[in-house]
Amino acid sequence: MGYEAYKQGVGKQGFGARRSWLAGLVLTLGCTLTYAQDIPRTAAGKPDLQGIWKAQASAVNGLETAPANGDMQAVLALTGGAIPYQANAAAQRQVNFDNRLNDDPLNKCFIPGVPRIMSLDYPYQIFQNDREVAMTFQWTQMFRYIPISDTPSPYEGVESWMGRSRAHWEGDTLVVEVRDFNGNTWLDASGNFHGAALTVTERYDMTDAGTIHYQATITDPEVFTEPWTIAYDLERQTDQVRLMEFQCQAEKEEQNGDFERDVRTWYPAPIPADNAPFDASAGVSLPLPQATGAIRRLPDGTPDIEGYFNAEAGGANYGLESAEGRFLTPNSRGVVVDPEHGGLPYQAWARIEREERILPQRGYDDPTAHCFVAGLPRSHYVPSPFYIMQTRDFVLVLHERMSWRQISLVRTEHLPDDIRLWQGDSLGHWEGDTLVVDSSNFNGKTWLNESGDVISHMQKMRETFTPVDENRIIYRATINDPIAYTQPWTIEMPFDRSEDELLEVACLEDNGDLQHLKDVRDEYRAAQQQAN
């Protein structure tokens, strides 16, 4: 979905005026549910919540019954009711409403928080195993990681936009407790808000195979006089092959020209006419790494590669080839294992482009400087940890720098060629103890690192994840890209498991460097224009 199409769908008043109804939303302290007996269940007998879902009643306009008012369409509720604000908080809510088009964090593409993200007019996917639940959202590739555990987080008290979740089962109801919010999110587009003392108790009740009844009880003694509850249904989306991406800030910056198109790499750029022929058969056949110790396994014997990992990337985010640091980038040890000389087999134009990208005036062009998703394989060696989760049908990777990738173990065909994603489309299978992943459908908008190594939309990638002992995976990625390279090439690095939990990196919300990078670029361009 493009940003322009998104704007057209939300009305004439701009990015903040999203079209939605609240039909089905309840402000209540309880409700009666009727449960079906034929709901899907896991092997452990719990309701199987996995799938792609969407709120039937979007709550983006408001959480209280209200008539149409200017840019805000009517908000409907089944039972009505008013949010129990303390007096001073009610006054702040009115200020928020009056300034909503400028002040709503969602209009700035910021993290929506909980429970607001559950009711946006975008689908999301639930992943589940016996140990945890994860949710990946189409909106800006946010995610939630929810351990099913009463063990406290190692980061209790560390505030974040999405809060920190713990879950438990009460019969067939998944109950999620969320706390440690930073108080910066709104609850809807009408200016309803909370403070840092917020706690949210969510209840997920599957009433039939296609419906989850969702409730969220909001408690914040600094803002409200008593707890209050919203409730609505989530509907299973059966017409989607997989969850797509909506990169809010990237779409917005593409439309206003702040993020400029690279006509050589973005889809559907052609292979340059003066390129050297691409030799797809070049390269060596590397044997897979051998186990050096026992590896963890799931009950069915499949390797257990789940856990919190850091890549021993050797500075790959600052260059895939061996190189000394330049300007503000540190040394990179070199992770290219094919070709054997350790250099990337660049086309001539792409090598020149890479050398230009390292210059200060090009720093603004790196998509990650804008806090856009890093792409692949870069997401794995950006200096930030990630969490791998395994389910029956997926391997899911949650990146601390707030993005996700899903690897389907059941699909056998990639998306249609005209669907292009920042993280591509990944299909995986097991070959012995190695997870083999083939990815395509990239959009060509990413860089491979801060040094500007080039990749295009024609990128095809085969990755192998080979566990070699209980706490180490050897990762390889082989890239085929006939636009930027003369032959395939391969990188390799270890992923090391440790006992830890992801924190939230709110990049866009805290981005203080981008304007400086833009100033450097604009000053350079102005000097060039004056010289000419």
Side-chain angles (χ1 to χ4, degrees), residues 245-410:
E245 302 172 351
F246 175 63
Q247 282 290 321
C248 173
Q249 187 67 14
E251 296 278 359
K252 186 161 65 170
E253 290 192 27
E254 285 180 38
Q255 290 295 319
N256 65 25
D258 286 338
F259 184 52
E260 298 175 342
R261 178 180 183 84
D262 187 328
V263 297
R264 298 164 302 181
T265 63
W266 288 28
Y267 177 82
I271 297 174
D274 57 352
N275 260 18
F278 184 80
D279 184 359
S281 64
V284 298
S285 179
L286 298 170
L288 289 172
Q290 297 298 305
T292 59
I295 63 174
R296 304 184 188 188
R297 296 188 183 274
L298 298 174
D300 65 359
T302 302
D304 182 351
I305 61 171
E306 183 165 289
Y308 176 100
F309 288 90
N310 280 282
E312 284 191 23
N317 191 48
Y318 311 105
L320 298 178
E321 301 170 313
S322 177
E324 294 183 0
R326 299 167 62 180
F327 300 108
L328 299 178
T329 62
N331 296 341
S332 54
R333 73 161 182 252
V335 293
V336 178
V337 293
D338 180 35
E340 294 180 355
H341 55 68
L344 293 173
Y346 269 118
Q347 296 283 352
W349 75 265
R351 173 64 72 180
I352 294 170
E353 169 65 10
R354 192 268 187 194
E355 292 304 315
E356 289 180 354
R357 286 182 177 183
I358 196 66
L359 299 174
Q361 64 267 21
R362 295 296 303 277
Y364 182 77
D365 297 336
D366 181 355
T368 66
H370 298 247
C371 296
F372 303 160
V373 65
L376 296 172
R378 186 179 181 181
S379 287
H380 288 295
Y381 53 77
V382 169
S384 185
F386 52 91
Y387 189 87
I388 298 177
M389 177 179 173
Q390 289 174 266
T391 72
R392 177 188 63 240
D393 297 334
F394 291 92
V395 173
L396 179 67
V397 187
L398 306 175
H399 298 279
E400 190 169 73
R401 206 171 178 272
M402 264 300 163
S403 67
W404 51 263
R405 68 175 296 201
Q406 58 170 253
I407 301 168
S408 174
L409 301 178
V410 293

Side-chain angles (χ1 to χ4, degrees), residues 479-497:
I479 308 296
N480 281 265
D481 182 354
I483 286 183
Y485 299 95
T486 61
Q487 68 174 67
W489 50 271
T490 301
I491 60 173
E492 177 180 304
M493 64 192 71
F495 293 165
D496 290 329
R497 180 193 271 118

